[in-house]
Amino acid sequence: MAKQDLLHRFLFEQHSVRGEMISVDDTFERILENHDYPAAVKGLLGELLVATSLLTATLKFDGDITVQIQGDGPVKLAVINGNNLQQMRGVARIDGPVVAGSTLKQMVGNGFIVITITPTQGERYQGIVAIEGDSIEESIDAYFRQSEQLPTRLFIRVGEVDGKATAGGMLLQVLPAADETSHDIFDHLVQLTATIKGQELSTLDVKEVLHRLYHEEDVTLYDPQTVEFRCTCSRERCESTLATLPKEDVKDILQKDGKIDMECEFCGSHYVFIESDIQGLNNELNQQLH
Ligand SMILES: [Zn+2]
């Protein structure tokens, strides 16, 4: 039986190193279900989903993280957005053929990963790193090496088990108070963690995974957190967008189609506005301005 999508946090008691383990097969499936992506793009979104979930779990405050790929290849954009409640959504925009077995470079061309951290209160932070090697994992490792942050490693596993797409991963991070010896230990723990297989993340209980990887270590496991697909779109958000569009353009669409049909590219929800809705919006806007 498939496992529920969960995030597990753990701590190596003898060392100043923390860890995370996630398995997000259902969330992955929900992100893909309203779209018809080529297999290679599905894999890319899976890798981004795992990265976003693991990174969001390191937040010390309420907020969200967007991990976005931009390039000049056929995959123009691939993005996953997730918040501290582990609610995830994502989408890819493709313009041109993506052949089976395409590498990251072939899909994205000259590309970048943009990581945007948006606290609910406080200032937004953005980090950009060129795509390196042939996986999201390698590029994000480069991001952590470049930025002066705590040593952090991600392990991303996306694949298929019994014909079903699977996505899971792990993260290790040195704690702020760590001394020099922790860094050697960290390298050792990284080597152990690198042996994790996607099938193990997808099918095994967390305790079994931790025992297999770190049976000589004293590991404390914390209560899990649910990971789920959840889109944050709403009629109100569409109204705000409509209010920013040139009035003439809105009028043209209304005259031509009799309505404005806005589709959320993340979840496929439709929000329909007719002329009287738009008039109401304009009145509200005018009131705000005067
Ligand atoms: Zn939506």
Side-chain angles (χ1 to χ4, degrees):
M1 202 188 79
K3 290 193 300 177
Q4 190 190 1
D5 284 359
L6 291 174
L7 156 73
H8 301 278
R9 293 180 173 87
F10 55 90
L11 177 71
F12 294 94
E13 287 295 337
Q14 261 81 48
H15 320 298
S16 297
V17 176
R18 56 184 292 276
E20 297 168 8
M21 174 187 143
I22 58 160
S23 171
V24 290
D25 299 354
D26 289 338
T27 307
F28 187 27
E29 201 180 318
R30 291 287 310 277
I31 285 173
L32 299 179
E33 74 183 356
N34 286 316
H35 305 270
D36 189 19
Y37 298 125
V41 175
K42 288 182 187 176
L44 175 59
L45 281 170
E47 289 181 50
L48 288 175
L49 169 64
V50 171
T52 308
S53 175
L54 291 170
L55 292 178
T56 309
T58 65
L59 287 179
K60 305 283 185 294
F61 45 79
D62 289 356
D64 71 77
I65 293 185
T66 300
V67 181
Q68 184 172 326
I69 285 190
Q70 295 170 354
D72 58 8
V75 178
K76 299 290 169 215
L77 174 86
V79 57
I80 299 283
N81 168 250
N83 62 21
N84 57 291
L85 300 173
Q86 287 292 325
Q87 297 169 330
M88 302 284 149
R89 60 179 190 156
V91 74
R93 278 188 215 134
I94 305 163
D95 182 13
V98 178
V99 295
S102 285
T103 62
L104 181 58
K105 188 89 187 161
Q106 285 164 342
M107 283 191 280
V108 180
N110 293 307
F112 294 90
I113 297 187
V114 184
I115 298 175
T116 310
I117 302 171
T118 312
T120 307
Q121 289 177 324
E123 235 164 89
R124 168 181 286 209
Y125 168 84
Q126 198 162 62
I128 300 177
V129 66
I131 286 175
E132 289 200 18
D134 225 3
S135 70
I136 301 301
E137 188 180 295
E138 281 176 71
S139 303
I140 292 183
D141 283 345
Y143 162 78
F144 277 104
R145 280 198 307 275
Q146 283 173 25
S147 55
E148 284 173 34
Q149 300 189 47
L150 301 166
T152 306
R153 279 294 297 269
L154 272 72
F155 308 85
I156 301 174
R157 302 290 182 261
V158 174
E160 241 181 49
V161 175
D162 300 332
K164 190 178 180 292
T166 60
M170 299 186 73
L171 175 145
L172 292 183
Q173 187 170 60
V174 173
L175 293 177
D179 56 22
E180 275 305 307
T181 57
S182 287
H183 293 267
D184 294 338
I185 299 274
F186 182 70
D187 291 340
H188 172 64
L189 293 174
V190 163
Q191 282 176 19
L192 295 178
T193 312
T195 63
I196 189 69
K197 294 186 180 69
Q199 180 153 18
E200 293 173 310
L201 289 172
S202 181
T203 57
L204 297 182
D205 183 74
V206 58
K207 284 183 184 150
E208 203 174 338
V209 172
L210 295 181
H211 180 74
R212 279 194 185 189
L213 292 175
Y214 319 116
H215 55 271
E216 287 175 0
E217 303 293 340
D218 186 4
V219 181
T220 300
L221 180 64
Y222 299 100
D223 288 339
Q225 186 179 357
T226 305
V227 185
E228 62 178 350
F229 171 83
R230 173 79 58 95
C231 194
T232 48
C233 69
S234 67
R235 191 169 175 88
E236 288 69 35
R237 286 195 176 198
C238 288
E239 286 173 355
S240 320
T241 307
L242 278 176
T244 63
L245 296 177
K247 275 188 191 152
E248 284 308 309
D249 294 358
V250 173
K251 222 166 123 185
D252 285 349
I253 301 173
L254 280 174
Q255 261 168 8
K256 205 166 116 278
D257 301 335
K259 63 179 180 187
I260 292 176
D261 185 348
M262 297 175 83
E263 183 183 3
C264 173
E265 63 177 343
F266 289 97
C267 70
S269 294
H270 282 267
Y271 299 93
V272 177
F273 297 86
I274 56 171
E275 192 163 3
S276 57
D277 296 327
I278 306 290
Q279 275 167 357
L281 276 184
N282 288 339
N283 288 341
E284 260 177 59
L285 198 67
N286 285 336
Q287 276 169 8
Q288 282 166 20
L289 290 175
H290 297 293

